[in-house]
Amino acid sequence: MVETIHFAVKGRARYKVPGLRNSEFLKDHLERELQNERGVSFVSASAITGNVLVFFHSDRGADDIVGV
């Protein structure tokens, strides 16, 4: 289950993604797929920390991104 870690700044959220740590394949997949989502302007996934940083338009909420 994806866990929202930080979403205090409007339009930006950080998530902990199970299975991402040490997985370059999942990192690349998440960055590619999330970048194509409506309203998402930037995605950075880390196979080192297991976290994903997403910048999105303010008309979407942090919970909307997790549901993608």
Side-chain angles (χ1 to χ4, degrees), residues 1-16:
M1 178 178 204
V2 174
E3 175 188 354
T4 304
I5 297 172
H6 189 274
F7 60 93
V9 178
K10 192 169 180 114
R12 185 178 81 187
R14 186 175 309 275
Y15 306 95
K16 173 69 76 182

Side-chain angles (χ1 to χ4, degrees), residues 21-34:
R21 196 171 193 144
N22 298 317
S23 176
E24 288 296 321
F25 173 80
L26 184 54
K27 171 195 177 304
D28 293 341
H29 175 75
L30 288 170
E31 288 178 338
R32 184 177 52 252
E33 294 300 315
L34 286 172

Side-chain angles (χ1 to χ4, degrees), residues 7-60:
F7 60 93
V9 178
K10 192 169 180 114
R12 185 178 81 187
R14 186 175 309 275
Y15 306 95
K16 173 69 76 182
V17 178
L20 176 56
R21 196 171 193 144
N22 298 317
S23 176
E24 288 296 321
F25 173 80
L26 184 54
K27 171 195 177 304
D28 293 341
H29 175 75
L30 288 170
E31 288 178 338
R32 184 177 52 252
E33 294 300 315
L34 286 172
Q35 188 66 47
N36 291 325
E37 285 298 315
R38 177 189 62 80
V40 172
S41 58
F42 176 80
V43 178
S44 177
S46 172
I48 296 171
T49 65
N51 296 337
V52 178
L53 176 64
V54 180
F55 286 80
F56 51 91
H57 298 188
S58 59
D59 64 331
R60 298 193 70 178

